[in-house]
Amino acid sequence: MNRHTSTWIRDAVNTEIEMSSRIRLARNIKGVPFTHMLEDDEDLEALGGLVSKMLPGYSLASLDGLSVQDRALLVEKHLISPNFAKRGTRVFINGDEDISIMLGEEDHIRIQALGTNTTLEALYDKAGAVDDTLEEKIEYAFDEQYGYLTACPTNIGTGMRASVMLHLPALAATNKIQRFHNNLTRFGFTLRGIYGEGSEPLGSVYQLSNQVTLGFEERVIINNLSELKNRLIEEERMARQHLMTLDTLDAVNRSLGILQHAYKLSLKEASMHLSNVKLGLDLSYIELENFNFQEWFQLIQPAFVKERVNTEEYDSPGIAAESARAALMRELLGGK
Amino acid sequence: MNRHTSTWIRDAVNTEIEMSSRIRLARNIKGVPFTHMLEDDEDLEALGGLVSKMLPGYSLASLDGLSVQDRALLVEKHLISPNFAKRGTRVFINGDEDISIMLGEEDHIRIQALGTNTTLEALYDKAGAVDDTLEEKIEYAFDEQYGYLTACPTNIGTGMRASVMLHLPALAATNKIQRFHNNLTRFGFTLRGIYGEGSEPLGSVYQLSNQVTLGFEERVIINNLSELKNRLIEEERMARQHLMTLDTLDAVNRSLGILQHAYKLSLKEASMHLSNVKLGLDLSYIELENFNFQEWFQLIQPAFVKERVNTEEYDSPGIAAESARAALMRELLGGK
């Protein structure tokens, strides 16, 4: 298993506001009970064998063979869901780590395509190509009237969830984000923290995604989402104009100074400072080469930090992690 | 008038805990009413003429000829008292700016000698030499039983105030400073902020001085004060041992990062960060060349900062000052 960040995120140096996108398709096998009703692993094992043959370029990881830490790394890389890390069985990942197929998530099959500097359309084509390949040998649970049948009714229809990760520090600072969230919900979309449902937004990074999967074609949902995304980006740009103040210049530079010098950083604080530095770069208040907001934001997450911890040196794992996170920031930002 | 810091403080690079010392002698002319009882300037004018002749190497400044800003600079350089800046008449300052003679402070004559990397004894000799010179031509108000007579009874006797400036961040952090203050008061000494009576201590810099001037010879007071000073330094050293933690390592380095990067700094905040960085250097948690705590602590004071302000650029003088203070720190600490 690759314990480093994925290629696609390492190359994501110059993104602004729009960070990355993701398409996820939920599919189930006709005539087989949904995952939570399965009495044994037989059906998923058979499915795993089939997918292995159909997708020869993918590496297969059995969740049984992965430690809690390995699973957490996959979650932070967005290759598996937090839910799948707890209860999943097998995951297929391509070489570039921008496509994953989870077997035995809430649905039998979940196909994900993700990436940066790309479009939802392109990702839908990618995920769709995998979907088409699998459909050659697998008969999906499909209803002429409703579409794809899924374990949870919120996914019935297209079975598609499209998401865009957005860096919205100005909207977050001015508390406009809550108003947008409320409006979006009424149109069947949602705006929430980047690491899955219910998580608190860190570093002003939000995930815009569709909630409604039924009654619209995939490309219609993607179009609507893209329009909302552009609207949000435009609003963020306008809000940033009002943030062009001495206070912001001061705050973003202090954040840089703290990241370059601190010896202890909680996830929450590091996220905030990284977000500030990114804003400072976007506003040309700061100049920095090789700053990679997306990758570094991933590297400060708990599992990635744990990879660097020498627990014996410290009183508690918490302190060891905060210390390792600070050392990483100093190293990446050229502090001492 | 020299608008820069004095030579003696610019050379004070390597002081640790003990910063600078000062001796002040209060004298009055026999047969002349105390300053606040004087009806006109005649006596002080005559005195000024006399001192000019006796101390030819000194430059004389008439307070009338100085702007509010110039007077404030002299206060921050410790060459005149805040009280004298408001109501004084003439001040004589030697070339090294380590001796000043105020005419028409609370007392007719106040002789001050100050410096760093020196002893109270040496400063007492310096001030005493000036005192002896003046006494050749001036008959002081002196009582065989009490000693020198002064406008305020708290100065009667020796007329001497000896002070040592101490950097006590560890005692301040552990709140031990208040206990010391209470004990010292009982022995006729006091511990307070550096810029004169009643001022809030900034940057954990305290002034230890004698309150009692009557009943003890000068050298006895100086000896007692030196012993107390050594005791405080010892206590500060011990308290620092308990501060050798990751939290302190983190705090002092963050302070360095903030001073190197901030674009707005209040006096209070800049003092605190400078104090932290100085502590970090003393604990070998930070390495920095040419760091001059004493001089920089003076340079962040309001009048010194005002020298650097371009008021037209900013909405308010307060913001302009905070911005200029931050720019100074970035410049001195090699930030951007």
Side-chain angles (χ1 to χ4, degrees):
Chain A
M1 172 182 152
N2 171 24
R3 311 183 74 77
H4 303 283
T5 50
S6 311
T7 325
W8 67 268
I9 207 166
R10 247 178 288 155
D11 294 339
V13 177
N14 291 317
T15 57
E16 190 175 319
I17 304 178
E18 185 172 345
M19 293 172 62
S20 65
S21 302
R22 181 158 40 144
I23 290 284
R24 183 267 284 155
L25 303 175
R27 302 290 184 255
N28 287 278
I29 309 167
K30 189 173 180 179
V32 175
F34 289 132
T35 304
H36 67 283
M37 304 284 281
L38 284 177
E39 281 175 16
D40 55 45
D41 189 45
E42 256 175 49
D43 291 297
L44 292 175
E45 201 186 332
L47 179 62
L50 202 60
V51 174
S52 282
K53 277 176 207 152
M54 287 186 283
L55 298 172
Y58 286 63
S59 66
L60 164 63
S62 166
L63 275 264
D64 289 343
L66 296 177
S67 64
V68 171
Q69 167 66 4
D70 289 347
R71 295 171 190 214
L73 279 176
L74 288 175
V75 171
E76 291 178 3
K77 290 165 90 167
H78 303 292
L79 292 169
I80 65 174
S81 62
N83 182 38
F84 188 75
K86 284 183 210 140
R87 278 179 290 274
T89 61
R90 288 162 192 79
V91 59
F92 291 85
I93 299 169
N94 71 339
D96 287 344
E97 299 194 337
D98 58 1
I99 302 178
S100 69
I101 299 119
M102 290 174 261
L103 302 189
E105 225 268 10
E106 195 177 276
D107 299 295
H108 296 148
I109 302 171
R110 286 202 163 180
I111 304 163
Q112 265 201 149
L114 61 166
T116 193
N117 294 317
T118 183
T119 61
L120 285 170
E121 285 82 355
L123 291 173
Y124 177 64
D125 289 343
K126 258 185 166 173
V130 174
D131 190 35
D132 291 345
T133 302
L134 297 186
E135 213 169 3
E136 286 170 19
K137 304 273 181 186
I138 300 165
E139 194 178 351
Y140 287 150
F142 186 84
D143 179 276
E144 283 302 326
Q145 193 188 343
Y146 292 114
Y148 293 101
L149 300 177
T150 54
C152 178
T154 57
N155 291 311
I156 285 178
T158 58
M160 183 190 78
R161 178 88 70 237
S163 323
V164 185
M165 315 300 166
L166 298 166
H167 182 225
L168 305 172
L171 292 180
T174 51
N175 284 322
K176 285 187 182 157
I177 213 89
Q178 191 56 44
R179 217 184 58 216
F180 279 106
H181 174 74
N182 296 343
N183 283 336
L184 288 167
T185 306
R186 289 193 291 156
F187 295 107
F189 294 89
T190 185
L191 197 62
R192 61 187 169 207
I194 181 170
Y195 279 102
E197 296 184 43
S199 62
E200 200 194 342
L202 288 172
S204 302
V205 176
Y206 293 83
Q207 171 177 297
L208 171 69
S209 58
N210 64 307
Q211 287 291 81
V212 173
T213 54
L214 185 67
F216 297 95
E217 279 184 20
E218 288 85 346
R219 298 203 185 263
V220 173
I221 295 172
I222 288 174
N223 272 343
N224 290 345
L225 189 75
S226 298
E227 269 177 39
L228 280 173
K229 176 199 77 180
N230 291 336
R231 172 81 196 286
L232 270 169
I233 291 173
E234 192 50 42
E235 293 281 347
E236 170 68 18
R237 289 232 161 85
M238 288 197 294
R240 287 183 180 195
Q241 292 308 309
H242 295 287
L243 280 188
M244 301 276 289
T245 60
L246 180 62
D247 283 346
T248 302
L249 178 68
D250 183 53
V252 301
N253 276 285
R254 278 172 187 248
S255 285
L256 176 60
I258 287 169
L259 291 181
Q260 284 181 339
H261 288 88
Y263 275 77
K264 245 178 77 181
L265 282 170
S266 70
L267 172 60
K268 197 172 168 181
E269 201 194 352
S271 307
M272 181 194 71
H273 292 311
L274 270 184
S275 169
N276 277 348
V277 171
K278 174 62 177 151
L279 177 65
L281 284 161
D282 290 351
L283 296 176
S284 299
Y285 277 168
I286 290 176
E287 276 182 41
L288 270 182
E289 282 179 22
N290 305 322
F291 184 86
N292 189 330
F293 182 50
Q294 293 202 55
E295 189 196 17
W296 299 3
F297 188 62
Q298 197 167 93
L299 284 174
I300 61 171
Q301 301 300 322
F304 269 106
V305 166
K306 208 171 180 183
E307 291 285 303
R308 302 170 169 268
V309 159
N310 181 349
T311 28
E312 285 167 26
E313 259 185 65
Y314 297 94
D315 295 346
S316 78
I319 301 292
E322 296 204 345
S323 172
R325 186 179 287 113
L328 169 70
M329 286 292 102
R330 295 199 307 280
E331 186 192 317
L332 288 173
L333 281 157
K336 272 176 197 163
Chain B
M1 167 183 157
N2 171 24
R3 312 183 74 77
H4 303 283
T5 50
S6 310
T7 325
W8 66 268
I9 207 167
R10 248 178 287 154
D11 294 339
V13 177
N14 291 317
T15 56
E16 189 175 319
I17 302 178
E18 185 172 345
M19 294 171 61
S20 64
S21 301
R22 179 158 43 143
I23 290 284
R24 182 267 282 155
L25 303 174
R27 302 290 186 254
N28 288 280
I29 309 165
K30 191 174 179 177
V32 174
F34 289 131
T35 305
H36 67 281
M37 305 283 280
L38 285 177
E39 282 175 14
D40 53 44
D41 190 45
E42 256 176 49
D43 292 296
L44 291 175
E45 198 184 336
L47 178 62
L50 203 60
V51 175
S52 282
K53 279 176 206 150
M54 286 187 282
L55 299 172
Y58 286 64
S59 66
L60 165 62
S62 166
L63 274 267
D64 288 343
L66 296 178
S67 64
V68 171
Q69 166 67 1
D70 288 348
R71 295 172 191 215
L73 278 176
L74 288 174
V75 171
E76 291 178 3
K77 289 165 89 167
H78 303 290
L79 292 168
I80 66 173
S81 61
N83 183 37
F84 188 76
K86 283 183 213 141
R87 279 178 292 270
T89 60
R90 290 163 191 79
V91 60
F92 292 86
I93 299 169
N94 70 341
D96 288 343
E97 298 194 336
D98 58 2
I99 302 178
S100 69
I101 301 117
M102 290 174 262
L103 302 189
E105 222 270 12
E106 194 178 276
D107 300 295
H108 297 148
I109 303 170
R110 287 203 163 180
I111 304 162
Q112 266 201 150
L114 61 166
T116 193
N117 293 317
T118 182
T119 61
L120 285 170
E121 287 82 355
L123 292 174
Y124 178 64
D125 289 344
K126 259 185 165 172
V130 174
D131 190 35
D132 291 347
T133 303
L134 298 186
E135 212 168 3
E136 285 170 20
K137 304 274 180 185
I138 299 164
E139 194 176 352
Y140 286 150
F142 186 85
D143 178 276
E144 282 302 326
Q145 194 190 340
Y146 293 114
Y148 294 101
L149 301 177
T150 55
C152 178
T154 57
N155 292 313
I156 285 176
T158 58
M160 183 190 78
R161 177 88 71 236
S163 323
V164 185
M165 314 300 166
L166 298 167
H167 182 225
L168 305 172
L171 292 179
T174 52
N175 285 322
K176 284 186 181 158
I177 214 88
Q178 191 55 43
R179 218 184 56 216
F180 279 106
H181 175 75
N182 297 343
N183 283 335
L184 288 166
T185 307
R186 290 192 292 154
F187 295 107
F189 294 90
T190 185
L191 195 63
R192 62 187 167 207
I194 182 171
Y195 279 102
E197 297 184 42
S199 63
E200 198 194 343
L202 288 172
S204 303
V205 175
Y206 293 84
Q207 171 176 297
L208 172 69
S209 58
N210 65 306
Q211 287 291 82
V212 173
T213 54
L214 184 68
F216 297 95
E217 280 184 19
E218 287 85 346
R219 298 204 185 263
V220 173
I221 294 171
I222 286 173
N223 272 343
N224 290 344
L225 188 75
S226 298
E227 270 177 37
L228 280 173
K229 175 199 76 181
N230 292 335
R231 172 79 196 287
L232 270 169
I233 291 173
E234 191 51 40
E235 292 281 348
E236 170 68 18
R237 289 232 161 84
M238 287 197 295
R240 286 183 180 195
Q241 292 308 309
H242 295 287
L243 279 188
M244 302 275 288
T245 60
L246 179 63
D247 283 345
T248 302
L249 176 69
D250 183 54
V252 301
N253 275 286
R254 278 171 187 247
S255 284
L256 176 59
I258 288 168
L259 290 182
Q260 284 180 338
H261 289 87
Y263 275 76
K264 243 179 79 181
L265 281 170
S266 69
L267 172 59
K268 197 171 168 182
E269 200 194 352
S271 307
M272 182 195 69
H273 292 311
L274 270 183
S275 169
N276 276 349
V277 171
K278 174 62 177 152
L279 176 64
L281 284 161
D282 291 353
L283 295 176
S284 300
Y285 277 168
I286 290 175
E287 276 183 42
L288 270 182
E289 281 180 25
N290 306 321
F291 184 86
N292 189 329
F293 181 51
Q294 293 201 56
E295 190 197 17
W296 299 2
F297 188 63
Q298 198 168 93
L299 285 174
I300 61 171
Q301 301 300 322
F304 269 106
V305 166
K306 208 170 179 182
E307 291 286 304
R308 301 170 169 267
V309 160
N310 182 349
T311 29
E312 284 168 26
E313 259 184 65
Y314 296 95
D315 294 345
S316 79
I319 300 291
E322 296 203 346
S323 172
R325 186 178 287 113
L328 169 70
M329 287 292 102
R330 295 200 306 279
E331 185 191 316
L332 289 172
L333 281 157
K336 272 175 199 165

